[in-house]
Amino acid sequence: MLNTSEKVKKSISELKNQIIAEQQKINKICPPEQGKEKRLEERLEQIAQQRGRAMAYPYLSDGEGFGPFTKLIDGSVKYDLIGGIGVQLMGHSHPLLVEANLEAATVDCLYSGNLMPYDDIRLLMDTLLGQIKESRLEHFWFTGSGTYANDTALKLLWQKKDPAYKIIAFKKCFTGRSVATQDITDKAAYRQGMPKAVDVEHVPHFDPRNPEGSLQITLNALEEVWNKAPGQYAAITLELVQGEGGLTFGTKEYYEGIFEWAKAKGLYIWVDEVQTFARTRRLFAFQHFGLEKYVDIVTVGKALQCCGLFYTEELNPKPGLIAGTFHAAIPALKAGNKFVRHLTEEGFYGENGKIAQLEKSFLKRMAALANKQGKERIPLFHGIGTMQAFEVGDASADITKKFSMLLMKKGVITYMAGDNPTRVRMLLPIVLEEQHLDEIFKLIDETIEELFT
Ligand SMILES: Cc1ncc(COP(=O)(O)O)c(C=O)c1O
């Protein structure tokens, strides 16, 4: 982009405006277009055949969408409240995304890599590291996925603590699906038939139904786990807001209690922010909870548009341990940098920032809905920043899926999280406005009525 001529720059600007003008036409929900009703089902069937397994959700797009709206292949338009499980924090066709894609089109290749890096990695790392000066995190390493960021974190920790290889994680956590992270992820169904690669112990996370007692319960479990193999643990890993686990999150005091315990035992603190990055009232959830002094290693992905890990100088590995072909695709690096700069420079964070306002507005509506529908129908709701969840009826997987499917038919895409209880999960785009929320809550209300009558 540096050497792009004025003529190309002007064309990019014109093209950007034209693309946005086209995409902006996707601005309200609507049912499938006449004649295209069967298209979604047919194409998903073909994909199921090709991959040997059906998709989880009846969704397929060929790239049209604007703000919170996404257009499906059958011509229907829906609110997207899950954003590719957290990737689309900026909504669809955000001007900065269009700009990043067009600028990247002028670059001579698609990917930056470890052997032949492109300057975009320096620019992005500069932006990111500039945001965490009050922590001890000094370095960043790009990885191809959130899972691989966690795998790499594990390698750094193992090398440093060799031969203390055991890991402490939290019940219901999700860290990914690699050979290593499938053992840390607390779900037996995700590792059926797999040999064990990592020695992990799981302790209970915060319980929103027992906020006062949660810390002691976790500390008791930690002591019990430690006493089984004192000195053999390398680190404790956790999501400060559990994604797959049902959007469970604790308090500053809860996390401080755990981290003080971990530090006293000489454990490194590894925070998985693959989902939480950019979604709380601060850029990082560890900043939101004021835990800067504790974190040793932090993994990110999703909303950043690329993935990787931050670590302290102490954890900087020996030469040879980490490498790989790719950093990320150049449009992703450019978009990630533009997004983070926009979010941190344009008033999104802080107690009165745009994310706090969206959170407040969403939770206010949620409280009114729960009050109207009653405890039997909405027994629990909670959320932080752009991550929101609620329970429907007995919070079984069955009723939650039925609810989500009905709501999707009406024009709102959500997803599920957790087992026993299962919750409706939303990872909101920051482009939601008041009139969108009004319509979304009207549709949620109607769906609940339909489900229970
Ligand atoms: C907390 C957390 N860690 C790790 C991952 C894995 O990331 P990826 O799917 O990019 O490999 C996810 C994905 O959902 C996640 O939510």
Side-chain angles (χ1 to χ4, degrees):
M1 193 57 193
L2 278 179
N3 299 320
T4 299
S5 70
E6 284 309 310
K7 202 170 149 201
V8 172
K9 281 187 188 153
K10 189 160 166 274
S11 302
I12 284 180
S13 166
E14 283 167 7
L15 198 49
K16 176 182 154 188
N17 292 337
Q18 284 167 25
I19 291 169
I20 290 170
E22 286 294 319
Q23 296 280 30
Q24 263 173 344
K25 293 177 189 161
I26 317 290
N27 58 14
K28 58 173 184 304
I29 57 171
C30 66
E33 280 169 34
Q34 251 191 351
K36 288 191 183 168
E37 296 91 343
K38 290 245 164 297
R39 197 182 268 188
L40 180 64
E41 210 179 305
E42 282 166 9
R43 294 197 184 175
L44 284 177
E45 247 173 58
Q46 193 185 349
I47 292 175
Q49 191 59 35
Q50 288 161 334
R51 12 178 265 163
R53 202 159 62 130
M55 307 296 285
Y57 250 33
Y59 177 87
L60 187 66
S61 162
D62 63 358
E64 285 182 77
F66 192 78
F69 298 104
T70 177
K71 187 170 176 179
L72 277 61
I73 206 100
D74 60 3
S76 65
V77 175
K78 302 184 195 300
Y79 281 106
D80 179 6
L81 301 193
I82 197 63
I85 316 203
V87 181
Q88 267 60 271
L89 173 65
M90 313 296 283
H92 293 261
S93 302
H94 193 283
L96 293 174
L97 175 73
V98 178
E99 197 175 280
N101 272 322
L102 290 170
E103 286 175 4
T106 69
V107 175
D108 64 339
C109 72
L110 186 61
Y111 277 92
S112 176
N114 283 309
L115 188 64
M116 297 183 74
Y118 277 63
D119 205 32
D120 292 290
I121 65 157
R122 180 185 63 84
L123 295 170
L124 178 53
M125 287 193 286
D126 202 38
T127 302
L128 290 170
L129 292 167
Q131 292 296 325
I132 48 174
K133 291 226 165 82
E134 75 284 24
S135 76
R136 290 174 295 111
L137 304 168
E138 278 184 60
H139 306 293
F140 184 78
W141 187 265
F142 285 96
T143 61
S145 67
T147 301
Y148 197 50
N150 281 330
D151 265 30
T152 310
L154 185 62
K155 287 177 37 156
L156 266 54
L157 292 160
W158 274 351
Q159 187 176 68
K160 188 71 195 175
K161 291 285 282 189
D162 175 28
Y165 298 135
K166 290 182 194 292
I167 298 292
I168 301 177
F170 282 72
K171 287 195 195 303
K172 299 196 178 187
C173 74
F174 183 82
T175 51
R177 296 182 173 269
S178 63
V179 168
T181 54
Q182 69 189 1
D183 279 337
I184 303 176
T185 293
D186 186 29
K187 191 147 180 177
Y190 290 178
R191 53 172 177 270
Q192 237 185 0
M194 299 287 105
K196 198 172 171 144
V198 187
D199 227 333
V200 191
E201 293 283 352
H202 294 96
V203 297
H205 204 290
F206 191 81
D207 180 356
R209 289 184 160 101
N210 181 14
E212 313 278 280
S214 287
L215 177 59
Q216 201 49 54
I217 290 170
T218 304
L219 289 176
N220 292 346
L222 284 168
E223 277 298 331
E224 203 176 303
V225 158
W226 177 263
N227 289 334
K228 277 196 218 169
Q232 291 181 36
Y233 293 92
I236 182 163
T237 180
L238 80 168
E239 298 154 86
L240 297 172
V241 184
Q242 288 195 319
E244 287 264 311
L247 284 201
T248 299
F249 57 94
T251 58
K252 178 177 169 62
E253 295 67 37
Y254 175 77
Y255 294 123
E256 279 175 346
I258 293 166
F259 290 172
E260 287 293 337
W261 178 90
K263 287 284 168 207
K265 300 288 190 218
L267 298 179
Y268 284 109
I269 293 173
W270 162 17
V271 173
D272 180 342
E273 294 230 25
V274 171
Q275 187 178 278
T276 51
F277 173 78
R279 287 192 171 274
T280 61
R281 276 173 254 141
R282 295 285 303 275
L283 186 64
F284 290 83
F286 75 75
Q287 295 172 323
H288 176 106
F289 290 105
L291 304 168
E292 292 86 344
K293 71 172 184 189
Y294 296 102
V295 291
D296 297 294
I297 195 155
V298 173
T299 53
V300 290
K302 298 200 188 235
L304 182 59
Q305 311 298 301
C306 35
C307 304
L309 58 152
F310 298 89
Y311 46 95
T312 59
E313 173 55 26
E314 194 182 332
L315 283 173
N316 205 355
K318 294 181 181 139
L321 189 73
I322 54 177
T325 303
F326 296 129
H327 290 131
I330 288 167
L333 293 168
K334 287 189 186 295
N337 197 12
K338 284 176 194 286
F339 288 177
V340 175
R341 292 193 59 172
H342 176 72
L343 290 165
T344 52
E345 290 167 12
E346 304 292 331
F348 284 86
Y349 297 114
E351 287 315 300
N352 295 313
K354 292 177 193 167
I355 289 190
Q357 285 167 27
L358 176 58
E359 172 189 321
K360 210 165 130 196
S361 200
F362 196 91
L363 284 170
K364 195 178 89 192
R365 284 175 169 81
M366 208 54 241
L369 180 73
N371 192 36
K372 180 186 168 211
Q373 291 290 353
K375 278 250 173 231
E376 294 268 295
R377 293 178 175 187
I378 302 185
L380 180 137
F381 68 92
H382 61 188
I384 181 166
T386 59
M387 298 171 280
Q388 300 288 333
F390 62 94
E391 291 173 11
V392 177
D394 64 1
S396 62
D398 278 356
I399 197 164
T400 314
K401 184 157 189 198
K402 205 166 156 202
F403 169 84
S404 303
M405 289 303 178
L406 259 175
L407 184 62
M408 187 167 181
K409 266 213 169 107
K410 287 182 184 290
V412 181
I413 308 177
T414 57
Y415 198 55
M416 291 162 294
D419 259 343
N420 240 341
T422 302
R423 296 183 179 131
V424 179
R425 168 166 46 156
M426 291 154 289
L427 297 169
L428 309 176
I430 47 121
V431 288
L432 281 173
E433 291 172 8
E434 292 292 301
Q435 80 269 16
H436 300 136
L437 291 178
D438 287 343
E439 188 176 24
I440 288 164
F441 273 88
K442 189 172 147 281
L443 293 167
I444 295 177
D445 190 29
E446 275 175 33
T447 309
I448 301 242
E449 286 297 335
E450 212 173 301
L451 197 67
F452 288 98
T453 48

